[in-house]
Each structure stands twice: as C-alpha cells, then as structure tokens.
Amino acid sequence: MPAWHDRPMRRLLAPAIVLALTTACAPAPVRNPMATWVPSKNFDQRGAVLIVLHATEQGSVQKSLDTLRGDNGRGPVSAHYLIGRDGHIYQLVAESARAWHAGGGSWGTITDLNDASIGIELDNDGHADYTDVQFDALVRLLADVCARRHIPRSQVIGHADLAPTRKTDPGAQFPWQRLHAAGFGRWPEDAPADPPPGFDPWIAMAAIGYPLKDRVAAVRAFHRHFRGRDDGDSPDAAFDDDDLRILYALARPKN
Ligand SMILES: [Zn+2]
C-alpha cells in the first residue's frame, strides 16, 4: 500500500515547491476557497484590448519614475511602461494588472479605460519632439505587446483621444502618421475622397471612438491626432473640408 499513501504526499509537495519558488517574485494566484481547484490548461490571459499613449509632461525620466511609483501630490498614478528619450524601456506594472493611467473618459463603448488598456508613458515635456530612438523603442514595444496579448495593431490611441476635455497628451507633436507607417494606430489613406452628401462627421467621430459630450473638445483632440495641430483651448475649433475627408476615410466600412 505505500504507493497509495505516497501519492497524496507527492501531490502536496509539488505545489509547495512551486509556491516556494514563485512567491518571491509574484503573489500566489487567487482561488476561490469555496470551490475545488481543478485547473484546466485551456486558457490565456485576458484584459487589455487597447493601448493608450501618454506624454509624461515632466522634465526627466527620473521625475516621472518618482511620480509613477510614488504617492503623487494629486493622487497616485502609474503606467505599465515608461520610455525614456534615450529609448530605454521601463516596466512599472505587470500587463495583467490594472495601472492607473487613463482616468475618466471613454473610447467607443469602453468606459473603464484603465480596465481595458495598457498604458505607455513617453518621456516628453509636452512640447519637445519625440526622439528617433524613443519612437523606435515604442514601435518595438507595441509589436511585442500586441502580438503577445492579441491586441489589434490599429487599437493604439492617445490619452487626449479618450479624455478630450481633460488631456492633451501625447500632444500635436506626436507622429501618428509615422506610427501608422510602422504598423500601428489608424490613419487615413493617401488623398482621401470627398464624403458623400449628407455625411455626418459626428457619427464618424463616434464610430472611430471619440467621446462627444463636449464636441469642441473632441474636435481639438481630433486635430491634435490627425492634423498635428494644437488649437489650445479654442472654443471655436471646428471641422474643415480636409477633416471631413479624413473622417470619411477613417469611418467608412472597408471592402
Ligand atoms: Zn496621459
């Protein structure tokens, strides 16, 4: 009968050893004590469906590391990644965890952006151009994250896109067209066509994902993203003919 007695012992020991090896670097998985744990091998990670790009709007990587890892005067904030102007990539929060980077806002039907996204901060004071090595590091990171987490490459947006009344980052100087040429985010085709009569730009904006509670703020966010133009706080921001062509190109169904 020794085999009969040994087996449960081995069953107990093996998880204990695994636990001892893993507790130093990761918390034990949360299981519901009211159920019997009968693990299946058939699963993968879930969570993020979107990637949100930010500018730190601070003076240095070290200052941003302090902000994103500390208590912060206006409440704690974080992001999954921070990319320095020298191209160094820092990871601050595990991708499976919910970082506090997006705050209030919405994108399409998504209303809890922290829940649904990976946040990437780019070291930038809010005015400077992004460096080539920083941009290249971002592209490498996006390729890696999108592939591993099965996030569509088009699903890369800016903080200001989801929160146009509160945010302006990553700013009008962020090279969205270049990012699209590298395979990420959305950008209209070359020489987009005139929209047909009756085209409603607001339906197109909503279809892309923009929140429309404040339509002028949404136009300003659109201009930062797709026109490289900063309207500041202008209450008069409005669509022009080029905007309408871009909106039509972005929102019309693809064949
Ligand atoms: Zn931001």
Side-chain angles (χ1 to χ4, degrees):
M1 301 296 280
W4 190 88
H5 286 289
D6 278 350
R7 200 171 296 152
M9 200 57 180
R10 278 208 305 275
R11 253 194 248 144
L12 285 174
L13 276 175
I17 291 166
V18 171
L19 198 64
L21 290 171
T22 55
T23 43
C25 51
V30 176
R31 297 171 193 168
N32 191 336
M34 69 190 288
T36 304
W37 176 239
V38 283
S40 170
K41 61 181 174 56
N42 306 325
F43 68 95
D44 55 17
Q45 291 187 326
R46 65 176 179 181
V49 294
L50 194 65
I51 295 176
V52 178
L53 304 185
H54 302 259
T56 56
E57 297 176 337
Q58 291 186 308
S60 72
V61 153
Q62 189 53 55
K63 188 145 190 0
S64 298
L65 285 171
D66 292 345
T67 300
L68 295 166
R69 300 173 70 225
D71 294 331
N72 195 32
R74 290 175 296 172
V77 292
S78 62
H80 294 91
Y81 294 100
L82 166 65
I83 304 179
R85 294 181 66 74
D86 62 358
H88 192 96
I89 303 173
Y90 303 83
Q91 182 170 11
L92 298 88
V93 176
E95 289 173 4
S96 56
R98 186 174 179 275
W100 302 340
H101 62 96
S106 66
W107 189 249
T109 58
I110 302 170
T111 53
D112 187 335
L113 270 299
N114 283 337
D115 235 19
S117 67
I118 300 282
I120 301 176
E121 291 275 359
L122 300 161
D123 178 25
N124 184 290
D125 64 7
H127 305 287
D129 286 337
Y130 291 86
T131 67
D132 287 343
V133 285
Q134 187 177 34
F135 180 84
D136 292 344
L138 172 64
V139 168
R140 284 200 309 279
L141 180 60
L142 290 174
D144 168 64
V145 173
C146 287
R148 277 189 297 99
R149 302 194 70 82
H150 309 293
I151 298 173
R153 284 173 159 236
S154 60
Q155 296 293 89
V156 182
I157 65 170
H159 198 184
D161 294 320
L162 69 92
T165 57
R166 298 186 302 114
K167 296 291 175 179
T168 60
D169 64 313
Q173 76 277 26
F174 183 82
W176 289 104
Q177 184 174 11
R178 191 172 158 202
L179 190 71
H180 184 260
F184 301 94
R186 300 184 62 184
W187 195 256
E189 67 218 32
D190 289 342
D194 288 337
F199 172 72
D200 185 337
W202 300 111
I203 292 177
M205 285 286 281
I208 293 165
Y210 280 99
L212 299 181
K213 262 192 205 150
D214 183 331
R215 292 188 172 196
V216 176
V219 171
R220 293 196 295 253
F222 175 87
H223 282 163
R224 286 191 184 93
H225 190 130
F226 291 102
R227 303 297 300 275
R229 189 166 94 208
D230 194 329
D231 299 320
D233 296 329
S234 170
D236 302 320
F239 293 131
D240 63 18
D241 288 344
D242 285 335
D243 293 334
L244 298 185
R245 289 187 199 99
I246 292 169
L247 280 167
Y248 179 55
L250 290 171
R252 72 178 167 184
K254 300 285 179 288
N255 294 325

